[in-house]
Amino acid sequence: MRGAAWQARIACGDAVGAGFLVTGRRLLTCAHVVRRSDRAVVTVTFPHARELGALSASVVAHGGWAGGVTDPGDVAVLELDRDVPLAPAGFAPPDTAYTEPYPRLVAYGFPEGYDEGTLAECQPVAGQLIAGEWLELVAWQGHGQPLVDGFSGAAATLPDGRVAGMVTAAVGSSPDVRKGRMLPLDVLARYWPELGELVPTPGHRDDARRRLYALLRRAVAQAERVGDPNRLYVDAVGAFGPPLPPGGFPSLWAAAAHVQWEVPDPGAMSRFTDRLLELLDGETALRAPAATDTPVPAGTSAAPVWSPVVVEIDHSGAGPDQVTVEVSAYRDGRRRPVGARRLPRTGVRAYVQSRIDEAVAHLAPDADELVTFVLPREWLNEAVAQWECGADDSTPLGCAYPLVVTDRARHHSGRLRHQLRKKWQKLDSGGGIEVHRVECGTRERPPSLRKRLWDGDAGLAGYAAPPTAARQHFEVGLTVPVPILLWPRTGSPCTGHGDVPCPRTEAAGSPGPGTGHGEAPRTDTAPGEPPCPGTAFLDQLAASVAGVPPAELPRHVLSLRLTADAADEPDLHWARDLQVLWDDPRCFPGTTASLHSPVA
């Protein structure tokens, strides 16, 4: 305390209070001390540096104090007309004033008759804020100088001289009640966010804090690049961080201060800082390639870089009807959680509808979004592409976004992820892709199909009927590294029974038990023979995807769905119920198990 020359006396008209120097020319005090600054000069003197004389100052920021004794925001920032050669105040960590045993605090004030100043000792009553604003103070001892008029704006300092808050009021109404109030540092920063650069915050290194505030100052001149501070906050804290305060943040500075003071995850401030730097430098700023980036072979064109929004559904373990649903977004190679909940199956659609837009908002503005449903095997035929976007938007999700599904077991299989990456390297170097057909009512043995897909180096397998009609054949497609599977979500083999082969497949000598590949099934229709919808589906599919690069298939299927939805008779369009399993592990770096215990 001996060298606390940063403590100041503030006079404005007939009002006198205290203040403390926080930078070379800025001080903090109470707004009510300088409430008449529009009509009277604000004068600052430093009792420990009398040689500086009286200095004039102006109010450059305030906390919005409305004038009442109990109104919040009783904070004013003063700026001197010149820098002073004094070391500013130093600050304690913000939780110091809240922690038992509550510290002895010293305030340097200027009550009537003490123009040179006097000291008062006090301590917090408890770590609980009054009305979310003040810590209540009581006298350290039953005698000595109480907090009275003239102490407003004084720094409440620890015995080592570090500042823990600012005295704002004396609330004692009799000699027996010796009380006051102070604003702790985190509340002060709520009203003047620039204070956050000066206060050491647990979990945040000094250099990281300085980097953030340097970017904030830079952002003042580039506000149009930064955009909505609420979006930046949500991007940094994710769905499981503290929610936005009511009404959101009035400024980028306020959002940064909230991340620094209120968010328990120390990584949130780094993410906030990194994202702010991206915005200031432009979205196209260069980045080092991610570990999962695959180089494009010379002479080939780069495949589109999808930015997935992932909806992952799994059994919860809490009952046959209970599932866990996790919604997240991938950005810059990192998975960003948006929401997770355990739900009955009937509640999944509404929950996903409520989270998809929020997840898409996490993506970069120029990102190619790809909605991916990671589903248990028995859910793979779920009509997710037909789910409406929301209660107020009847657009099918599959007509609003490129939308695909994938099998949860293969999504987390290390063997298949490795094999699929190698397969995609080959696919990226080619043009279109051949459809490996699994015909209507096929009698091909599953092991024979497995060998056919391996020998043919299959990139796409097309099924003439839904998974329930040929379950074993479908599971073969899931357990070999075929990146793309397509099938009609509705319908059945033309006999109407999954165990009875299509007459034309049987007649053509399609492989039976114990045989080899056999003769290819017939795809024509004999006179008087009813058309086979499964074969017709595969014919339409093969014609439609001819020449389409595999990496572009999600966008192509979006176009097909839009065309089917706009048809005069949508239910008769061959692509109306097209289901697409599209699986490129490079879009999902670092795929891990569920973010939360399914029975938590």
Side-chain angles (χ1 to χ4, degrees), residues 352-354 356-357 387-401:
V352 171
Q353 290 170 334
S354 71
I356 285 283
D357 278 354
W387 289 2
E388 296 178 342
C389 286
D392 300 320
D393 185 351
S394 62
T395 306
L397 282 172
C399 292
Y401 307 102

Side-chain angles (χ1 to χ4, degrees), residues 128-141:
Q128 177 181 336
L129 290 175
I130 303 296
E133 185 86 356
W134 303 277
L135 281 179
E136 196 153 77
L137 304 175
V138 292
W140 179 258
Q141 298 175 334

